[in-house]
């Protein structure tokens, strides 16, 4: 893998453990000579991650929409900063540049980015791996939700493999490199339901 896109929070979170996790991932990306592709911000976990990769001698490509660049949160020291018009273009560009995806702790925006690439993988728009770096068990509720989706038959069990979950960056990257995508989503005819 030459490029990994990382989705993560523009805040630091409630515990220093999230910052430490972002630093560990940044060091591992630089050590393995993997270019970081991320949202281009200088704040929160996003800024920590980019700063770490750069400090360790790695390469960082940021993709930021004009609305956020104008709020003066764009990182000015990146290897490359790409400015796009919209949030949609940002996600599309990041996905195009990346060989895979890693999700650090974050809020609604981070989850929205994750679910989009997860869904794209389900329907065969890409065959790139996606990993959750489960720092401090942050994603435990999401993993439980996935199990609930399978149990309630809204998610085919084979698609659990689309979200590789690990607590250590080196192991996660190793598993991403070994990823084999599941078959493309198949649709079963809906059951006949009679409404009385």
């Amino acid at each position: 893998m030459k490029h990994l896109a990382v989705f993560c929070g523009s805040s630091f979170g409630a515990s220093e453990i999230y910052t430490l996790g972002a630093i560990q991932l940044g060091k591992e990306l630089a050590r393995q000579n993997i270019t970081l592709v991320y949202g281009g911000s200088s704040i929160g976990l996003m800024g920590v991650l980019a700063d770490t990769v750069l400090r360790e001698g790695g390469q960082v490509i940021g993709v930021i929409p004009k609305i956020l660049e104008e709020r003066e949160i764009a990182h000015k020291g990146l290897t490359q900063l790409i400015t796009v018009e919209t949030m949609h273009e940002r996600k599309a560009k990041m996905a195009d540049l990346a060989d895979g995806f890693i999700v650090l702790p974050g809020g609604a925006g981070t989850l929205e980015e994750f679910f989009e690439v997860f869904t794209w993988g389900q329907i065969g728009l890409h065959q790139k791996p996606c990993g959750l770096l489960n720092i401090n068990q942050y994603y435990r509720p999401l993993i439980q939700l996935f199990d609930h989706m399978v149990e309630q038959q809204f998610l085919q069990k084979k698609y659990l493999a689309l979200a590789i979950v690990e607590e250590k960056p080196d192991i996660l990257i190793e598993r991403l490199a070994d990823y084999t995508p599941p078959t493309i989503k198949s649709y079963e005819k809906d059951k006949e339901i009679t409404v009385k």
Side-chain angles (χ1 to χ4, degrees):
M1 309 198 113
K2 294 183 178 180
H3 296 76
L4 280 174
V6 178
F7 305 129
C8 59
S10 57
S11 300
F12 292 105
S15 170
E16 187 182 3
I17 196 167
Y18 301 122
T19 297
L20 294 174
I23 290 170
Q24 288 178 341
L25 176 60
K27 287 181 175 180
E28 192 61 32
L29 291 173
R31 188 185 74 78
Q32 294 196 34
N33 200 29
I34 297 171
T35 297
L36 167 65
V37 178
Y38 86 118
S41 175
S42 61
I43 60 176
L45 295 186
M46 295 173 76
V48 168
L49 178 64
D51 287 342
T52 302
V53 174
L54 292 167
R55 189 170 52 249
E56 296 292 319
Q59 304 289 306
V60 181
I61 300 172
V63 184
I64 195 164
K66 283 184 178 178
I67 189 171
L68 296 182
E69 184 179 40
E70 291 165 2
R71 293 178 186 172
E72 300 183 325
I73 60 171
H75 198 302
K76 302 301 183 186
L78 304 179
T79 310
Q80 183 181 5
L81 181 65
I82 301 169
T83 303
V84 295
E85 292 293 328
T86 67
M87 297 290 280
H88 293 294
E89 286 180 59
R90 177 201 229 177
K91 290 182 292 184
K93 186 65 175 177
M94 288 175 68
D96 185 52
L97 291 170
D99 300 314
F101 309 93
I102 290 178
V103 187
L104 288 175
T110 300
L111 285 175
E112 188 266 339
E113 291 168 326
F114 162 68
F115 273 113
E116 185 153 50
V117 296
F118 181 92
T119 304
W120 289 352
Q122 263 190 300
I123 62 177
L125 291 180
H126 70 74
Q127 294 188 318
K128 301 173 182 181
C130 187
L132 296 168
L133 190 56
N134 198 21
I135 300 167
N136 200 32
Q137 293 297 305
Y138 182 78
Y139 283 113
R140 182 188 298 158
L142 178 60
I143 295 162
Q144 291 171 338
L145 177 59
F146 274 128
D147 290 337
H148 182 64
M149 289 176 181
V150 170
E151 181 184 298
Q152 297 301 313
Q153 299 179 15
F154 285 104
L155 179 68
Q156 295 175 29
K157 189 171 184 178
K158 65 182 177 180
Y159 292 115
L160 293 177
L162 286 169
I164 299 166
V165 183
E166 286 293 344
E167 295 179 23
K168 295 184 177 181
D170 56 337
I171 296 174
L172 179 58
I173 292 170
E174 182 180 325
R175 288 191 62 196
L176 294 180
D178 292 338
Y179 173 73
T180 300
T183 55
I184 295 172
K185 183 174 182 179
S186 59
Y187 294 88
E188 297 176 8
K189 187 177 178 184
D190 290 337
K191 299 173 184 175
E192 294 286 335
I193 298 175
T194 304
V195 179
K196 294 182 180 179

